[in-house]
Amino acid sequence: MGSNPVTWLGTPPFPKAAHAALGDSQLRANLRKATGTIRAKRAEAVAELSDWERLRRAGEAIKDDVLSRLDTYLERLERAVTERGGVVHWARDAAEANDTVLRLTREAGADEVVKVKSMATQEIGLNEALAAGGVHAIETDLAELIVQLGHDRPSHILVPAIHRNRAEIRDIFRRQMPSAPPWLSDKPVALTEAARRHLRRKFLSAKVAISGANFAVADTGSIVVVESEGNGRMCLTLPRTLITVMGLEKIVPTWRDLEVFLQLLPRSSTAERMNPYTSVWTGVTPGDGPQRFHLVLLDNGRTNALADPVGRQALRCIRCSACLNVCPVYERTGGQAYGSVYPGPIGAILAPQLVGDMHDAQAASLPYASSLCGACYEVCPVRINIPEVLVHLRAQATAAKGSRGPEALGMAAAGWVFADPKRYEAAQRAGSLARFLARDGWITRLPFPGSRWTASRDVPAPPAESFRMWWRRTRG
């Protein structure tokens, strides 16, 4: 993990990683088909509600209230969980959270755990930490299972294997799933049945389950997980010990507040009126379900984000992934190019704040992974103004480079050229010579320092004659 609280996936800063992704035609075809389908279905589901905009504003207001009084709500949640037989653990960073989960798993006598899909556990690299401690974590969400068996990396918040097609999934199952027959087809029914048979034995034998949380109700200490497959329900009811890792910001004050998000989330994420499985548990119920419940409250950079008046709105996020599905950058590069477990527009503003260091090349590159078209803001169910935060973080990234970095020196040189008409025209004439490097109207490679640009972008060839030169020639 190093010093960064967010798990980076070994990807170079965004421009280079995006350039590599753009060269993968199969990846782009998979993404285009999947995101297009989700966008269309979501639009239909949202159009059914005449008060959708009022719901968005209500979600925004509830989240802002929570963030403004987070300490009060966290103490209320801890008290309610404890009164109902649960145990609350506080984790300042990834290392503390991982150590806590590993210790609790060992105390339960388990060397294998089943997991409900969880962004928080991916954020802290929990699977890797458990493996280092001799515990094998089994992902039970179908998409997460595909990623795990394929020794791959997630590329989407809601659909981690969105970059895979059915044929690729079939091949992964044939290679990595012992119970999968060699004649397994790529039909969805067959793939689902293979995964079901593989996981059933794990559900029945697991002593410990690990989950994330979509929401936590402060008044009652209730934890809420929504999902579409039923695997989460199996994890949350069969094992004797349940460990939940939850970001500090996932709180809602009351059940009435929860009602708002149970309308916003399914329509924005899976384009459904409600989630097929909404699981709620409150502490421990003797004789029913897990008999030991542990809640790990994760900070891991969240209080740093909370201190930023502009950037804190990223903590409203309910992980619906709507912003990914409308983003033209994400559709062409996929989530792995972002190098963070949080991809897309929300990842571009959340991951850098959790890292909290704009001197980190990967973190500093993410706010630039956007065209600032604003589509993400329009679909966000809790009205996070992502473009505003992107510009805000870009300013921080620029300030972190200092006044003597290449970019600052380049801007100073440009300012000197633009300050004098003669210098400006001389630069135009010199720049027009670059057209001789073009092929089919585009320049794909420039000598240093221009190579820093063309390493990840193509440049349109400049015209032989500038507008000034044309005006002088034609109008005298």
Side-chain angles (χ1 to χ4, degrees):
M1 292 295 296
S3 59
N4 291 343
V6 176
T7 300
W8 298 117
L9 301 178
T11 307
F14 185 81
K16 293 182 180 179
H19 186 71
L22 288 171
D24 188 336
S25 58
Q26 183 63 61
L27 170 70
R28 288 187 287 112
N30 294 347
L31 288 169
R32 184 167 56 251
K33 180 179 180 180
T35 56
T37 300
I38 296 172
R39 281 199 305 269
K41 289 183 176 180
R42 179 195 176 277
E44 293 178 5
V46 167
E48 294 177 351
L49 295 183
S50 60
D51 62 344
W52 178 252
E53 189 58 31
R54 290 179 60 194
L55 280 171
R56 289 181 72 210
R57 292 186 178 277
E60 175 189 18
I62 293 168
K63 280 291 188 177
D64 282 349
D65 171 64
V66 168
L67 295 177
S68 68
R69 296 191 290 164
L70 188 57
D71 54 345
T72 300
Y73 287 124
L74 284 170
E75 290 176 355
R76 186 182 302 176
L77 175 69
E78 180 185 32
R79 184 165 56 252
V81 170
T82 303
E83 289 173 352
R84 290 161 176 81
V87 181
V88 176
H89 309 264
W90 298 81
R92 287 174 295 184
D93 53 25
E96 281 194 4
N98 289 334
D99 288 346
T100 299
V101 175
L102 180 59
R103 174 176 56 80
L104 295 172
T105 302
R106 286 173 171 166
E107 289 176 356
D111 57 9
E112 189 173 84
V113 299
V114 289
K115 281 187 65 196
V116 186
K117 180 179 180 297
S118 164
M119 297 301 296
T121 59
Q122 289 181 22
E123 174 189 324
I124 62 178
L126 178 62
N127 286 10
E128 294 77 10
L130 290 176
V135 176
H136 178 50
I138 300 166
E139 297 290 352
T140 65
D141 174 83
L142 179 56
E144 288 286 1
L145 178 64
I146 293 166
V147 170
Q148 185 178 45
L149 293 178
H151 306 289
D152 200 357
R153 299 175 302 183
S155 62
H156 193 277
I157 289 176
L158 182 67
V159 195
I162 196 173
H163 58 292
R164 296 290 194 183
N165 60 31
R166 292 186 303 175
E168 292 171 319
I169 296 169
R170 175 203 60 202
D171 294 340
I172 290 172
F173 281 11
R174 284 176 176 176
R175 290 194 308 267
Q176 301 294 331
M177 194 178 285
S179 59
W183 58 84
L184 179 67
S185 76
D186 64 355
K187 293 182 178 179
V189 172
L191 296 173
T192 304
E193 180 62 21
R196 183 181 293 116
R197 290 180 179 274
H198 171 74
L199 290 172
R200 187 167 295 160
R201 295 189 300 274
K202 304 299 183 181
F203 288 135
L204 294 174
S205 62
K207 297 179 180 179
V208 175
I210 298 173
S211 83
N214 291 100
F215 306 102
V217 182
D219 276 359
T220 61
S222 303
I223 311 299
V224 184
V225 164
V226 297
E227 38 122 4
S228 300
E229 300 168 10
N231 61 293
R233 182 69 56 83
M234 301 287 279
C235 291
L236 300 170
T237 55
L238 292 177
R240 302 297 288 174
T241 299
L242 173 60
I243 304 170
T244 296
V245 181
M246 187 190 85
L248 299 178
E249 79 282 12
K250 293 297 188 72
I251 296 180
V252 296
T254 68
W255 278 83
R256 185 174 183 178
D257 299 316
L258 178 64
E259 177 192 359
V260 172
F261 296 103
L262 291 183
Q263 295 181 73
L264 288 171
L265 180 56
R267 283 180 164 82
S268 290
S269 56
T270 56
E272 296 171 298
R273 296 181 181 90
M274 65 180 294
N275 294 96
Y277 295 89
T278 300
S279 300
V280 184
W281 64 99
T282 306
V284 173
T285 303
D288 184 20
Q291 296 303 290
R292 290 176 294 277
F293 170 57
H294 298 271
L295 176 62
V296 180
L297 293 173
L298 177 68
D299 184 340
N300 207 39
R302 285 162 173 78
T303 52
N304 292 333
L306 188 64
D308 187 330
V310 177
R312 69 162 57 180
Q313 59 186 297
L315 297 178
R316 292 185 205 147
C317 178
I318 57 176
R319 309 294 193 266
C320 71
S321 77
C323 61
L324 280 69
N325 300 324
V326 299
C327 178
V329 176
Y330 176 87
E331 183 181 285
R332 288 158 178 79
T333 64
Q336 294 180 355
Y338 291 79
S340 164
V341 297
Y342 299 109
I346 187 61
I349 65 170
L350 181 59
Q353 294 191 86
L354 296 184
V355 171
D357 181 9
M358 279 302 181
H359 292 93
D360 182 286
Q362 182 69 11
S365 73
L366 289 180
Y368 295 91
S370 171
S371 64
L372 298 179
C373 68
C376 49
Y377 181 29
E378 293 300 320
V379 300
C380 178
V382 287
R383 291 175 45 85
I384 302 172
N385 193 337
I386 294 178
E388 177 186 38
V389 184
L390 286 168
V391 173
H392 175 66
L393 294 178
R394 288 181 185 186
Q396 291 184 6
T398 300
K401 294 176 182 177
S403 59
R404 296 187 179 277
E407 183 176 347
L409 294 175
M411 290 296 103
W416 179 78
V417 171
F418 292 163
D420 183 87
K422 292 182 178 179
R423 290 197 293 263
Y424 179 65
E425 289 192 17
Q428 282 187 315
R429 288 193 294 270
S432 70
L433 298 177
R435 68 185 186 277
F436 296 111
L437 300 175
R439 295 291 184 272
D440 299 323
W442 291 89
I443 300 172
T444 59
R445 183 176 299 177
L446 285 172
F448 184 84
S451 59
R452 299 287 295 274
W453 177 273
T454 56
S456 56
R457 306 170 181 86
D458 294 337
V459 183
E465 185 179 46
S466 69
F467 175 80
R468 283 170 172 261
M469 294 170 63
W470 173 84
W471 183 274
R472 187 177 293 118
R473 177 174 58 80
T474 60
R475 305 298 171 90

